């Protein structure tokens, strides 16, 4: 088993800065005089040096991984040239990525931006060049329900190397040729350890799995096997949509923070004496989203837009791509100021059929 100590990981991150912009998950231990309890939100920060607030394990940061692959706002064309902007930008090395972003998150984003006749050059470049250093979850927070969506709380695919936190460091698994080359280049930082550390990792994975299962049981979250009964079609005219949307303030946070949501809006603006085209994230929960020429809107009511959001995740994607567009990360539960809980909506839908 490959192993890297805490000190050597810091040295590896220092070395990566030469070729990448390195981002690590961090968590503040307090805000002023108010301590943050276990389960507080983590977020990505550009790495400068290894500090005590960096948390490689624990749970997913609040920002979804998609932010490193399709920027929330970016220039996609300038003037009338065929030159693609951003070609000289340094790629990202994203550390501490969790499975809820990696598996279904990438499945949906790849389906939209890469795996069809037209490939988005910005997304494809980032997929090829960015480096992903994943890590196991070492705890579950109240909103985690990844196993109900068919995921595990540890990376299974789509990473270059994975770090499993164990005593005094991390077990290291290789997930790609890029990851293998990285470890070969920094072989002096990697050690070999016995199976005892693997047993420690397996016990930790089992413990976190049980924590997630406990969440699922507590909130009575339907598992993905129950979504297969066409729950959206059978609830198409249900009162659930209107009742659940009554508190929505239409901020769009649930879609912006979602690792699978991918809709965008294109617009032009003047840049000096030239024109440039920009792409910004859009949200199907916003009223303007489906508006067409002449001002007509097929989803003019808020409950229609909430239904559309669930239809896309639990009906459209299973039919066209054979997977659900929800990872069970729970970010939308945390982000919603109206306390609309995707787990409770799903339970109502399943209970109705």
């Amino acid at each position: 088993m490959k192993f890297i100590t805490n000190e050597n990981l810091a040295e590896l991150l220092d070395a990566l800065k030469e070729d990448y912009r390195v981002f690590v998950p961090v968590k503040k231990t307090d805000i002023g005089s108010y301590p943050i309890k276990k389960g507080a939100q983590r977020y990505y920060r550009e790495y400068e040096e290894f500090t005590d607030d960096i948390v490689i394990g624990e749970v997913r940061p609040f920002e979804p991984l998609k932010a490193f692959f399709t920027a929330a706002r970016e220039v996609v064309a300038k003037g009338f040239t065929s030159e693609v902007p951003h070609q000289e930008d340094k790629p990202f090395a994203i550390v501490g990525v969790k499975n809820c972003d990696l598996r279904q998150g990438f499945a949906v984003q790849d389906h939209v931006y890469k795996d069809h006749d037209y490939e988005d050059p910005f997304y494809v470049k980032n997929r090829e060049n960015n480096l992903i250093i994943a890590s196991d979850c070492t705890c579950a927070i109240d909103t985690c329900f990844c196993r109900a969506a068919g995921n595990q709380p540890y990376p299974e695919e789509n990473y270059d190397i994975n770090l499993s936190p164990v005593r005094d460091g991390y077990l290291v698994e290789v997930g790609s040729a890029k990851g293998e080359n990285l470890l070969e280049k920094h072989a002096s930082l990697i050690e070999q350890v016995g199976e005892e550390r693997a047993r420690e990792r397996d016990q930790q994975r089992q413990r976190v799995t049980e924590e997630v299962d406990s969440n699922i049981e507590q909130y009575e979250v339907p598992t993905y096997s129950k979504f297969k009964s066409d729950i959206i079609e059978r609830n198409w005219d249900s009162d659930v949509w209107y009742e659940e949307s009554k508190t929505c303030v239409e901020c769009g946070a649930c879609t912006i923070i979602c690792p699978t949501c991918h809709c965008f809006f294109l617009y032009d603006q003047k840049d000096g004496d030239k024109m440039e085209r920009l792409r910004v994230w859009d949200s199907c929960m916003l009223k303007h989203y489906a508006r067409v020429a002449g001002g007509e809107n097929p989803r003019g009511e808020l409950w229609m837009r909430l239904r559309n959001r669930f239809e896309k995740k639990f009906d459209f994607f299973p039919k066209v791509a054979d997977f659900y567009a929800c990872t069970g990360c729970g970010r939308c539960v945390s982000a919603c100021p109206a306390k609309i809980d995707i787990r409770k909506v799903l339970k109502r839908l399943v209970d109705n059929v």
Side-chain angles (χ1 to χ4, degrees):
M1 299 296 297
K2 292 182 174 65
F3 176 80
I4 186 168
T5 64
N6 294 319
E7 294 75 16
N8 284 353
L9 177 62
E11 191 170 334
L12 176 63
L13 297 183
D14 288 337
L16 287 177
K17 288 194 295 183
E18 183 174 339
D19 299 315
Y20 297 93
R21 291 183 64 190
V22 181
F23 283 81
V24 293
V26 298
K27 182 181 74 172
K28 287 188 175 181
T29 56
D30 59 65
I31 299 175
S33 58
Y34 298 97
I36 298 176
K37 299 177 181 178
K38 175 186 175 184
Q41 301 294 355
R42 291 81 178 156
Y43 59 93
Y44 286 112
R45 184 179 71 198
E46 187 158 7
Y47 176 79
E48 295 179 357
E49 60 181 349
F50 209 93
T51 51
D52 291 340
D53 57 354
I54 294 175
V55 284
I56 305 297
E58 298 204 1
V59 297
R60 83 292 181 279
F62 198 59
E63 303 103 314
L65 183 65
K66 68 181 182 183
F68 294 99
F69 292 83
T70 55
R73 180 179 182 272
E74 66 180 333
V75 176
V76 295
K78 282 190 172 183
F80 297 95
T81 71
S82 58
E83 181 181 347
V84 178
H86 318 301
Q87 288 300 297
E88 303 304 320
D89 292 353
K90 231 177 186 180
F92 298 124
I94 312 111
V95 182
V97 182
K98 301 298 186 286
N99 196 39
C100 49
D101 276 329
L102 291 173
R103 190 164 175 264
Q104 279 158 290
F106 268 142
V108 173
Q109 302 293 334
D110 285 356
H111 181 84
V112 173
Y113 290 109
K114 185 171 74 69
D115 296 336
H116 289 287
D117 293 341
Y118 177 76
E119 294 184 345
D120 182 286
F122 303 94
Y123 181 80
V124 171
K125 186 193 81 168
N126 289 335
R127 284 288 270 139
E128 291 174 350
N129 296 342
N130 286 353
L131 179 75
I132 295 179
I133 300 179
S135 71
D136 292 14
C137 293
T138 57
C139 64
I141 55 176
D142 183 62
T143 52
C144 292
F145 65 102
C146 62
R147 280 175 48 79
N151 294 315
Q152 300 297 334
Y154 47 84
E156 301 168 287
E157 57 187 283
N158 288 329
Y159 59 83
D160 295 306
I161 64 173
N162 181 58
L163 303 175
S164 299
V166 293
R167 179 167 36 91
D168 299 328
Y170 305 85
L171 284 183
V172 183
E173 293 174 274
V174 174
S176 71
K178 194 192 303 181
E180 185 72 53
N181 292 336
L182 178 71
L183 294 190
E184 288 180 3
K185 182 178 179 181
H186 301 281
S188 62
L189 302 176
I190 306 299
E191 304 173 10
Q192 294 292 327
V193 293
E195 290 298 318
E196 180 186 352
R197 298 297 177 93
R199 287 193 290 273
E200 184 182 345
R201 176 200 61 192
D202 293 344
Q203 289 171 358
Q204 180 170 257
R205 286 180 172 181
Q206 180 61 31
R207 177 181 55 76
V208 179
T209 296
E210 291 172 358
E211 288 182 22
V212 177
D213 287 346
S214 177
N215 278 353
I216 293 169
E217 182 178 357
Q218 178 183 350
Y219 290 97
E220 301 180 275
V221 187
T223 58
Y224 67 98
S225 61
K226 294 184 178 177
F227 303 160
K228 294 179 179 177
S229 54
D230 297 328
I231 60 167
I232 304 300
E233 285 188 19
R234 297 169 72 177
N235 281 283
W236 192 252
D237 296 318
S238 169
D239 291 336
V240 169
W241 309 116
Y242 175 76
E243 292 168 2
E244 292 290 342
S245 67
K246 284 194 294 187
T247 58
C248 178
V249 297
E250 209 173 339
C251 65
C254 54
T255 54
I256 296 301
I257 212 71
C258 175
T260 68
C261 285
H262 48 270
C263 293
F264 59 84
F265 178 74
L266 292 171
Y267 70 97
D268 297 337
Q269 71 177 19
K270 193 172 183 181
D271 177 22
D273 58 349
K274 295 182 180 178
M275 295 298 293
E276 60 182 12
R277 173 157 293 180
L278 290 94
R279 174 170 61 188
V280 295
W281 291 353
D282 204 351
S283 170
C284 62
M285 290 300 294
L286 303 181
K287 190 169 186 176
H288 71 258
Y289 177 81
R291 189 172 58 201
V292 296
E296 293 299 319
N297 191 334
R299 291 194 285 273
E301 301 295 330
L302 189 50
W303 64 268
M304 297 175 181
R305 299 194 285 278
L306 179 68
R307 183 178 64 184
N308 175 75
R309 177 179 161 228
F310 278 77
E311 188 266 340
K312 191 78 178 288
K313 291 184 179 302
F314 301 104
D315 191 78
F316 175 82
F317 265 97
K319 287 177 177 174
V320 304
D322 200 27
F323 50 75
Y324 295 94
C326 174
T327 74
C329 69
R331 288 183 174 101
C332 59
V333 180
S334 301
C336 181
K339 307 301 181 189
I340 299 173
D341 189 327
I342 192 172
R343 300 168 299 181
K344 294 178 181 176
V345 179
L346 284 172
K347 182 178 186 306
R348 291 190 67 184
L349 296 175
V350 170
D351 288 348
N352 270 353
V353 298

